[in-house]
């Protein structure tokens, strides 16, 4: 049995009771070392397998092997395991096996929800999530999504906005969006959303500060109705008040 | 003090610890009666104010009044309060007051995350959320978003797909999406996601069954890579396996 557990943004406070229970019911915990570290108080008595970035396939294969020997395994994702997390990969690998393992996706709070709660209420109308990482999606496809999402006036959440290998993706993305997003459109930047070292910044699209962003940052760009009041970003739902 | 609390899809298991703690720390609980009923075991000793649909403005004004008298108030939303929930409205109304109340948005698991966990892993790549309710968004705007989101090959989550007042919106939406979504694109339907009476259906876009859907249903339409395996919907993240 494999539980694919989204641990939420990082604090135990933001995990669901189900996620905590499934961790407790698992014999082996497998995860990226940063996430394992965030939940270490909950898994002191467990067998722990941790490794580094880009070793997702190894982690999933280990989970499948250990589960096939009859042990219960928790496979850890940050945020929600179904949003750019481990749920897809474990299902993909399981689908290629002769003997399938049982998989349960344990829902969690994804990063944009967490970031939004610190910014105010930016996601009150239709929105989309776009990852700016082109490791696994062609950059042309990402550009197309940025263009059409801006044209549709979605609120846009950018995951993985920047890394050492692609420092310019975020500014390229803003170049595309500025055809449709006015310079006074509110932008929220949340670094380490939901963690003790969280940083929150609110600014206009035209004054975007790319230097504030890194890989652990969520960037949320408003729609045409979004405004800033008292430091909070508010996207109206449409009530007549 | 007003806590705007997302209680998740409906079971206590899917609430965050923070949401439970904030409920316990509140003197007055205000919410739509269906949501109040879902958390009744947690709020037995509290002052409870509940009312019906479309009374959101009344609920927010009551929360602001009660908070202004020094009491702590929990304002309840289903799912996450920041996604089509009460967070935006309470901020909007607070911004018009001379004396502002303190507001804290307490993050929760939104419905599409919950529905996705039951379907498999449909949200593993870029996706968007579109509400088909035109009570507060013009239908033309909704049509434009459906068109552009399909063209961009987003996975699409449809909130509020159907109600008595607008029984045909969902089939209109499919008419728009079919220009870009192939007839074999996987579609997941989850009614009452995350609750005891949850119903889960998986089918192809071309065989969509509109009769299965009501207002409490989430509909998720895959992208060009999404496939069905062993009854689960999987959108590949892009790993080479």
């Amino acid at each position: 049995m494999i539980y694919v557990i989204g641990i939420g943004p990082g604090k135990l406070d933001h995990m669901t009771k189900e996620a905590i229970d499934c961790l407790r019911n698992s014999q082996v915990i497998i995860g990226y070392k940063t996430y394992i570290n965030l939940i270490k108080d909950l898994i002191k008595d467990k067998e722990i397998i941790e490794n580094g970035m880009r070793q997702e396939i190894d982690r999933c294969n280990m989970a499948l092997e250990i589960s096939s020997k009859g042990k219960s395994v928790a496979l850890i994702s940050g945020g929600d395991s179904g949003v750019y997390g481990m749920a897809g990969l474990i299902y993909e690998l399981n689908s290629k096996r002769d003997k399938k393992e049982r998989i349960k996706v344990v829902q969690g709070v994804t990063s944009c929800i967490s970031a939004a709660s610190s910014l105010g209420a930016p996601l009150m109308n239709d929105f989309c999530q776009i990852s700016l990482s082109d490791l696994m999606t062609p950059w042309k496809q990402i550009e197309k999504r940025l263009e059409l999402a801006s044209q549709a006036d979605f609120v846009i959440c950018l995951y993985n906005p920047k890394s050492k290998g692609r420092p310019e993706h975020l500014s390229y993305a803003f170049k595309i969006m500025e055809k449709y997003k006015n310079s006074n459109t509110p932008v929220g930047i949340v670094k380490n959303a939901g963690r003790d070292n969280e940083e929150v910044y609110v600014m206009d699209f035209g004054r975007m500060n790319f230097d504030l962003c890194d890989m652990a940052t969520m960037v949320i760009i408003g729609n045409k109705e979004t405004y800033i009041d008292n430091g909070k970003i508010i996207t109206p739902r449409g009530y007549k008040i």
Side-chain angles (χ1 to χ4, degrees), chain A:
Chain A
M1 179 73 197
I2 301 173
Y3 299 104
V4 197
I5 300 181
I7 60 165
K11 276 192 194 175
L12 301 189
D13 269 5
H14 298 139
M15 288 180 72
T16 63
K17 185 175 169 301
E18 184 183 49
I20 293 169
D21 290 346
C22 288
L23 274 179
R24 291 206 172 118
N25 291 336
S26 299
Q27 293 164 287
V28 184
I29 316 288
I30 302 180
Y32 172 45
K33 56 192 176 185
T34 304
Y35 299 141
I36 291 288
N37 194 42
L38 289 168
I39 55 168
K40 61 180 188 296
D41 291 344
L42 288 176
I43 54 173
K44 280 176 182 160
D45 55 335
K46 306 290 186 186
E47 183 182 341
I48 295 170
I49 300 174
E50 54 187 325
N51 61 18
M53 278 176 67
R54 303 201 188 172
Q55 295 185 279
E56 292 86 1
I57 296 174
D58 286 350
R59 286 202 289 279
C60 287
N61 280 329
M62 282 190 280
L64 290 163
E65 276 310 302
I66 293 166
S67 171
S68 75
K69 287 170 186 153
K71 284 191 177 176
S72 56
V73 183
L75 183 63
I76 305 302
S77 279
D80 175 63
S81 62
V83 176
Y84 307 121
M86 304 297 282
L89 185 55
I90 193 83
Y91 271 117
E92 284 187 76
L93 291 167
N94 199 37
S95 73
K96 296 185 189 304
R97 290 171 71 94
D98 293 330
K99 184 179 162 288
K100 314 278 189 203
E101 295 306 311
R102 279 178 59 210
I103 295 172
K104 178 179 167 60
V105 176
V106 179
Q107 53 199 275
V109 174
T110 186
S111 309
C112 75
I113 298 283
S114 184
S117 74
S118 296
L119 289 167
L123 305 182
M124 286 305 297
N125 208 319
D126 303 334
F127 72 92
C128 65
Q129 307 197 350
I130 301 174
S131 167
L132 296 191
S133 168
D134 64 349
L135 287 175
M136 291 182 288
T137 302
W139 180 250
K140 280 281 165 210
Q141 175 70 51
I142 297 169
E143 281 187 333
K144 184 178 177 188
R145 287 189 179 136
L146 288 164
E147 171 97 26
L148 294 166
S150 308
Q151 196 180 342
D153 199 29
F154 278 107
V155 176
I156 298 177
C157 304
L158 300 179
Y159 279 65
N160 308 309
K162 214 173 172 183
S163 77
K164 283 178 188 153
R166 44 189 171 80
E168 300 301 331
H169 279 195
L170 186 57
S171 56
Y172 295 160
F174 270 65
K175 277 276 171 224
I176 293 166
M177 293 187 291
E178 76 180 8
K179 281 191 266 179
Y180 307 97
K181 299 282 183 191
N182 295 328
S183 67
N184 62 353
T185 304
V187 174
I189 297 174
V190 184
K191 200 184 275 195
N192 304 313
R195 299 188 191 168
D196 287 330
N197 57 346
E198 180 182 88
E199 297 173 35
V200 179
Y201 307 94
V202 170
M203 63 196 66
D204 288 349
F205 189 94
R207 293 169 182 270
M208 175 64 186
N209 184 342
F210 300 105
D211 294 337
L212 293 172
C213 303
D214 63 11
M215 207 172 58
T217 304
M218 175 67 53
V219 180
I220 299 182
I221 300 111
N223 69 18
K224 284 194 171 41
E225 278 85 41
T226 307
Y227 63 96
I228 299 170
D229 178 79
N230 207 18
K232 296 293 182 185
I233 298 182
I234 304 167
T235 299
R237 180 72 188 97
Y239 291 100
K240 290 192 175 50
I241 55 173

